[in-house]
């Protein structure tokens, strides 16, 4: 039907809602996010050129440490006294049709029994090539590995647009499964090192 319509949304908290939330953090969650330039052009021409696929951006992210990581909201009542075993999963969500499916991911090692100030500082780092920097988003998710149940419980996460990332040492504020930074999650964060690798096809800002 013509006219103004309402569409219901199922706001189930999952990794895809985390990525959606990251898109609107580009402007501080204060309103609309502008479209990429290629979507505002009258003549798109070659799709890959319009989407920036001829200028990929290679990013390397090294997980160094964490701070004040609380227990997961999914922790069972009988397991509240145990210390957590955190690890980090980094995922690159690329808006290019040529990107890999499923999206590439990197998992850090598990730090046993330390949620206050876990230190990873591993030699291996997350390395991704973003074919569409205008739409690409990097997701950080922290899990608690339960040795008893062999399950990974979600602690907190964050999503950052690629074009908003800057090189150097950065703190990534984490949000719980309810997209909140209150209570135990108020000071939770990751300390990472971001580096953009230049190549004949990549570009830097």
């Amino acid at each position: 039907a013509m006219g103004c319509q309402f569409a219901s949304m199922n706001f189930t908290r999952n990794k895809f809602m985390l990525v959606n939330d990251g898109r609107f953090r580009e402007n501080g969650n204060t309103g609309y996010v502008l479209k990429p330039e290629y979507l505002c052009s009258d003549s798109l021409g070659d799709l890959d050129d319009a989407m920036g696929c001829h200028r990929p951006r290679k990013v390397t992210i090294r997980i160094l440490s964490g701070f004040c990581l609380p227990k997961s909201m999914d922790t069972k009542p009988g397991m509240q006294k145990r210390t957590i075993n955190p690890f980090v999963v980094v995922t690159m969500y690329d808006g290019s049709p040529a990107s890999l499916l499923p999206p590439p991911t990197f998992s850090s090692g598990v730090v046993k029994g330390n949620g206050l100030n876990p230190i990873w500082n591993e030699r291996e780092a997350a390395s991704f090539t973003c074919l569409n920097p205008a739409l690409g988003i990097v997701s950080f998710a922290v899990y608690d590995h339960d040795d008893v149940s062999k399950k990974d419980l979600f602690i907190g996460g964050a999503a950052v647009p690629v074009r908003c990332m800057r090189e150097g040492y950065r703190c990534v504020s984490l949000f719980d499964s309810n997209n909140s930074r209150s209570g135990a999650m108020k000071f939770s964060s990751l300390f990472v090192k971001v580096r953009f690798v230049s190549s004949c096809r990549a570009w830097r800002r």
Side-chain angles (χ1 to χ4, degrees):
M2 297 180 62
C4 297
Q5 307 293 330
F6 285 96
S8 60
M9 300 287 289
N10 181 17
F11 283 95
T12 303
R13 298 308 305 178
N14 53 28
K15 59 183 179 182
F16 301 109
M17 286 299 298
L18 180 67
V19 172
N20 180 77
D21 180 71
R23 169 56 59 203
F24 291 93
R25 293 198 184 282
E26 185 172 339
N27 63 354
N29 286 343
T30 58
Y32 291 102
V33 175
L34 296 179
K35 293 181 180 180
E37 292 182 4
Y38 71 86
L39 289 179
C40 299
S41 175
D42 293 333
S43 58
L44 292 180
D46 183 74
L47 182 60
D48 285 343
D49 289 342
M51 296 183 71
C53 295
H54 64 298
R55 296 184 302 174
R57 197 171 198 186
K58 186 175 182 180
V59 57
T60 299
I61 303 172
R62 176 169 280 106
I63 308 297
L64 300 178
S65 62
F67 181 70
C68 286
L69 303 180
K71 292 180 173 65
S72 171
M73 298 178 64
D74 299 326
T75 303
K76 296 181 179 180
M79 303 295 291
Q80 289 289 344
K81 293 184 178 180
R82 77 173 186 87
T83 55
I84 65 174
N85 306 315
F87 69 97
V88 184
V89 177
V90 185
T91 307
M92 168 65 75
Y93 292 93
D94 196 341
S96 170
S99 60
L100 298 176
L101 291 175
T105 62
F106 168 83
S107 296
S108 72
V110 177
V111 176
K112 296 289 185 179
N114 188 353
L116 179 62
N117 57 347
I119 297 177
W120 286 277
N121 197 19
E122 300 170 336
R123 291 186 177 181
E124 186 178 2
S127 182
F128 307 108
T129 299
C130 182
L131 298 179
N132 187 4
L135 292 180
I137 292 182
V138 177
S139 169
F140 299 87
V142 182
Y143 294 90
D144 173 19
H145 179 69
D146 190 344
D147 292 328
V148 178
S149 64
K150 304 300 180 182
K151 292 183 178 180
D152 299 328
L153 305 177
F154 179 78
I155 296 176
V160 183
V162 172
R163 64 179 177 180
C164 293
M165 300 182 72
R166 298 295 181 265
E167 280 191 318
Y169 295 93
R170 305 294 175 183
C171 282
V172 180
S173 300
L174 300 176
F175 298 81
D176 61 19
S177 57
N178 292 323
N179 194 31
S180 171
R181 273 187 59 77
S182 60
M185 290 294 296
K186 188 172 184 179
F187 302 103
S188 298
S189 62
L190 292 175
F191 187 51
V192 303
K193 183 179 181 181
V194 180
R195 178 171 176 262
F196 293 111
V197 181
S198 60
S199 64
C200 60
R201 297 187 63 199
W203 59 284
R204 299 174 63 180
R205 288 186 64 182

